[in-house]
């Protein structure tokens, strides 16, 4: 329907593109090594050999011994496994876990779960750059502390923590330390032995490897319970036939880490240029990724007065992928816990975007992104309006001045009813239906979850429609926020746009 000018991917902390050597390796493993590594015959043993070779490569990338590496299905799983090993009934005697408040949701949610199961979870404060307050940590750690959990580098603001210092404090109290190294790997050198931690977690898809595979480093002698039971794999600590193609892809990506580290300086230069050029676009723009020790690729920027969802939609329309905080939280509109922990007010957090570069990001990508941001912030292109489901009450829906276009697929429509008086059309058919859309009304585009409508709304803007909006979160969010209206008016008078129901 819409031809994008170019594509610029600035969300590498969410995930990265898969490197060509990794794709090749995965293909070769899928083709040739289909044996089950747990079986005894030659075909299977070839697979087992690649499994161990991969373990060695991942271990070498983080300076661990191969027997200290367990492959998992994701870093989220690895984080869960470590933390759930500290449930009180597992029997370590100690019941307290101290954590930084900036952890990934796979840690935060698991800590919440542990809190409901007898663990005393305590959060150590951070400063406005996100650095852990070591004096506070020292005061919180005591003889009841089983574990201190602190990520090496943060996914939203890039702050790098002094994990070796955390280990020093933990050891004085006989506590263990877990660190999430997902964002650090490939961006800064990671050496689990010199950090001194007991547990470290990693994910392949953040280093141009495949999705769906993680690794857990467990220092020899540190306690760990299986999360998934039912097999002998991974030293009986992670049951399930190994996804060898993913594991081999992970190992292949790890072999490129020296190259990624060598390019980190160039990435930092591009990131710094991006931040410098964006910061002068408008007064009041605020940079949150400003710690002295910060990932070279990450820029978290607050744009006062601009809703991040609207800005993201504008960037998306122009082919730029960025994010509002962690990818794991994009479906709800809650302010980022990381940004609020470093002192941003919820409304400031909702005005913040994260841009994350990779070694594949080019200077031209950065120039383009700065220019598109400038268009939006300086109103060189009038934006579309983001309509929250809370605004979609009876008054607005039946105002008479609203023309609702429902671009959902037939399948989505069977799952959920649409807004009343909506004009249904396929996304791809919008271009041919323009003559049916009145130019003198407020045009509101709705899709199922809010992912498709912004693009269509910008398309209509580009075709000269002045007042165009989209429903944030789509009809799904409308149903959740307005269950009564949904029940009463869902699908009321909905018609096909192509049948000429619009005013030509
Ligand atoms: N930890 C951090 C800091 C992350 O950024 C992520 C991914 O967003 C994860 C853990 C989860 O990794 P995975 O996608 O492998 O579960």
């Amino acid at each position: 329907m819409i031809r994008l000018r170019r594509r610029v991917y600035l969300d590498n902390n969410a995930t990265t593109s898969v490197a060509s050597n990794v794709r090749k390796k995965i293909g070769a493993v899928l083709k040739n090594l289909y044996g089950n590594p747990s079986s005894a015959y030659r075909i299977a043993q070839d697979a087992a050999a690649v499994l161990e070779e991969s373990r060695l490569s991942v271990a070498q990338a983080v300076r661990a011994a191969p027997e200290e590496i367990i492959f998992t299905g994701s870093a989220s799983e690895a984080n869960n496994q470590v933390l759930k090993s500290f449930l009180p009934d597992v029997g370590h005697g100690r019941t307290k876990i101290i954590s930084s408040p900036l952890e990934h949701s796979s840690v935060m949610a698991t800590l919440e779960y542990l809190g409901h199961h007898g663990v005393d979870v305590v959060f150590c404060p951070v400063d406005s750059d996100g650095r852990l307050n070591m004096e506070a940590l020292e005061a919180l750690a005591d003889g009841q502390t089983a574990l201190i959990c602190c990520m090496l580098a943060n996914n939203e603001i890039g702050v790098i923590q002094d994990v070796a210092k955390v280990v020093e404090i933990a050891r004085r109290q006989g506590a263990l330390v877990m660190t999430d190294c997902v964002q650090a790997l490939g961006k800064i050198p990671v050496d689990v032995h010199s950090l001194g931690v007991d547990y470290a977690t990693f994910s392949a898809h953040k280093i141009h490897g495949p999705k769906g595979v993680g690794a857990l480093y467990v220092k020899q002698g540190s306690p760990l319970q299986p999360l998934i039971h039912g097999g002998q794999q991974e030293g009986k600590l992670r049951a399930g036939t190994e996804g060898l193609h993913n594991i081999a892809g992970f190992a292949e990506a790890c072999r490129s880490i020296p190259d990624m580290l060598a390019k980190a300086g160039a990435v930092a230069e591009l990131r710094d240029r991006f931040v410098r050029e964006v910061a002068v676009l408008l007064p009041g723009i605020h940079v949150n990724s400003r710690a002295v020790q910060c990932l070279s690729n990450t820029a978290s920027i607050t744009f006062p007065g601009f809703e991040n969802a609207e800005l993201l939609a504008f960037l998306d329309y122009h082919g730029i992928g960025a994010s509002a905080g962690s990818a794991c939280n994009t479906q709800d509109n809650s302010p980022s816990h990381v940004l609020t922990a470093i002192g941003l007010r919820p409304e400031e957090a909702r005005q913040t975007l994260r841009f994350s570069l990779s070694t594949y990001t080019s200077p031209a990508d950065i120039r383009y992104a700065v220019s598109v941001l400038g268009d939006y912030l300086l109103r060189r292109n009038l934006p579309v309006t983001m309509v929250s489901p809370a605004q979609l009450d009876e008054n607005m829906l039946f105002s008479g001045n609203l023309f609702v276009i429902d671009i959902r697929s037939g399948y989505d429509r069977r799952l959920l009813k649409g807004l009343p008086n909506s004009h249904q059309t396929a996304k791809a058919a919008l271009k041919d239906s323009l003559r049916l859309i009145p130019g003198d009304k407020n045009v509101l585009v709705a899709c199922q979850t809010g992912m498709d409508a912004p693009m269509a709304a910008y398309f209509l803007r580009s075709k000269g429609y002045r007042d165009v909006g989209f429903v944030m979160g789509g009809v799904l969010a409308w149903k959740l926020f307005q269950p009564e209206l949904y029940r009463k008016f869902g699908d009321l008078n909905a018609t096909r746009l192509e049948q000429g129901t619009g005013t030509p």
Side-chain angles (χ1 to χ4, degrees):
M1 176 184 68
I2 297 155
R3 283 238 307 279
L4 297 173
R5 268 164 270 174
R6 66 182 285 161
R7 280 192 181 277
V8 172
Y9 185 64
L10 295 177
D11 202 14
N12 288 280
N13 286 7
T15 194
T16 54
S17 59
V18 182
S20 59
N21 58 323
V22 172
R23 288 200 302 267
K24 225 160 108 188
K25 182 75 185 181
I26 291 172
V29 171
L30 282 171
K31 187 167 168 214
N32 304 318
L33 291 163
Y34 52 85
N36 187 325
S38 300
S39 301
Y41 39 81
R42 172 72 58 82
I43 295 169
Q45 285 311 296
D46 289 347
V50 170
L51 177 63
E52 293 319 312
E53 196 183 292
S54 303
R55 198 184 307 284
L56 181 63
S57 292
V58 173
Q60 281 172 343
V62 300
R63 304 271 186 272
E67 53 278 12
E68 293 173 313
I69 296 293
I70 295 168
F71 287 115
T72 62
S74 63
S76 296
E77 180 192 319
N79 285 339
N80 267 261
Q81 183 167 0
V82 173
L83 292 170
K84 286 177 182 167
S85 295
F86 288 84
L87 278 164
D89 56 0
V90 174
H92 294 293
R94 299 178 173 207
T95 53
K96 180 166 161 182
I97 294 181
I98 305 173
S99 177
S100 102
L102 306 185
E103 300 296 307
H104 183 259
S105 54
S106 59
V107 169
M108 298 301 271
T110 309
L111 289 175
E112 191 181 339
Y113 171 85
L114 295 184
H116 293 134
H117 289 81
V119 175
D120 180 18
V121 178
V122 180
F123 290 100
C124 176
V126 290
D127 68 14
S128 60
D129 288 346
R131 286 171 310 193
L132 210 58
N133 179 328
M134 294 297 173
E135 288 77 41
L137 184 63
E138 188 97 54
L140 288 170
D142 58 18
Q144 264 311 300
T145 308
L147 181 76
I148 301 181
C149 169
C150 175
M151 69 203 323
L152 182 53
N154 181 264
N155 44 315
E156 291 190 39
I157 55 171
V159 59
I160 298 168
Q161 303 288 355
D162 186 352
V163 170
K165 176 87 186 157
V166 171
V167 172
E168 222 181 278
I169 293 170
R171 295 295 181 243
R172 282 202 274 280
Q173 300 297 337
L176 301 175
V177 175
M178 156 188 176
T179 186
D180 174 334
C181 297
V182 168
Q183 295 293 342
L185 191 64
K187 295 171 193 145
I188 57 171
V190 176
D191 178 338
V192 287
H193 286 163
S194 71
L195 285 173
V197 294
D198 300 277
Y199 312 95
T201 57
F202 306 93
S203 181
H205 73 99
K206 311 287 182 175
I207 57 162
H208 303 286
K211 291 157 189 61
V213 56
L216 166 54
Y217 158 79
V218 187
K219 188 179 182 169
Q220 270 169 19
S222 298
L224 186 78
Q225 295 296 318
L227 189 64
I228 302 174
H229 302 258
Q232 308 285 316
Q233 295 90 351
E234 301 300 297
K236 295 191 195 163
L237 286 165
R238 205 278 182 174
T241 306
E242 300 87 349
L244 188 62
H245 58 294
N246 267 349
I247 289 172
F250 190 1
E252 186 66 21
C254 282
R255 290 178 201 119
S256 302
I257 286 178
D259 183 51
M260 292 176 212
L261 294 178
K263 290 176 177 158
V267 174
E269 262 176 45
L270 271 188
R271 188 271 319 267
D272 291 347
R273 183 198 301 179
F274 175 71
V275 168
R276 256 195 328 271
E277 294 182 6
V278 169
V280 296
L281 287 173
L282 267 189
I285 285 181
H286 177 77
V287 180
N288 306 300
S289 46
R290 56 167 193 267
V292 177
Q293 295 293 323
C294 181
L295 291 179
S296 57
N297 76 321
T298 306
S300 167
I301 303 177
T302 303
F303 299 92
F306 294 88
E307 281 288 323
N308 54 17
E310 236 179 273
L311 183 44
L312 274 181
F314 185 79
L315 293 174
D316 187 22
Y317 176 67
H318 289 87
I320 300 172
S323 79
S326 157
C328 302
N329 298 329
T330 40
Q331 299 302 324
D332 63 31
N333 191 32
S334 52
S336 144
H337 68 278
V338 171
L339 297 175
T340 48
I342 62 168
L344 268 68
R345 294 192 304 274
E347 63 271 27
E348 289 172 323
R350 288 199 183 89
Q351 295 166 348
T352 301
L353 287 190
R354 175 188 72 183
F355 303 89
S356 45
L357 287 61
S358 81
T359 52
Y360 295 92
T361 309
S362 70
D365 290 340
I366 292 303
R367 275 198 301 278
Y368 177 66
V370 171
S371 124
V372 172
L373 275 167
D375 284 348
Y376 184 86
L377 299 172
L378 306 173
R379 303 281 174 189
R380 290 200 284 254
N381 269 334
L382 267 183
V384 301
T385 309
M386 187 175 69
V387 178
S388 81
Q391 285 172 272
L392 281 176
D393 57 10
E394 235 172 300
N395 281 343
M396 184 163 183
L397 286 169
F398 296 99
S399 68
N401 196 29
L402 192 66
F403 191 87
V404 180
I405 302 176
D406 181 336
I407 57 164
R408 293 177 302 147
S409 65
Y411 176 75
D412 282 346
R413 286 196 192 110
R414 282 193 292 281
L415 294 178
L416 283 179
K417 293 184 205 169
L419 298 176
N421 298 324
S422 53
H423 303 84
Q424 303 169 341
T425 185
K427 219 171 24 173
L430 197 54
K431 193 169 110 212
D432 301 321
S433 308
L434 290 175
R435 68 193 163 78
L436 301 172
I437 303 169
D440 59 345
K441 291 206 172 180
N442 296 321
V443 180
L444 182 66
V445 187
C447 62
Q448 192 84 336
T449 61
M451 303 302 277
D452 293 329
M455 192 76 102
Y458 277 109
F459 171 69
L460 291 173
R461 271 291 295 137
S462 74
K463 293 293 166 193
Y465 289 88
R466 283 196 54 75
D467 298 307
V468 186
F470 66 89
V471 183
M472 217 177 128
V475 290
L476 177 63
W478 181 63
K479 180 187 174 198
L480 294 174
F481 278 85
Q482 310 270 15
E484 270 304 293
L485 293 186
Y486 177 82
R487 203 178 45 73
K488 233 165 121 183
F489 300 120
D491 268 351
L492 182 76
N493 294 334
T495 47
R496 297 288 307 168
L497 181 60
E498 291 82 3
Q499 282 164 3
T501 49
T503 319

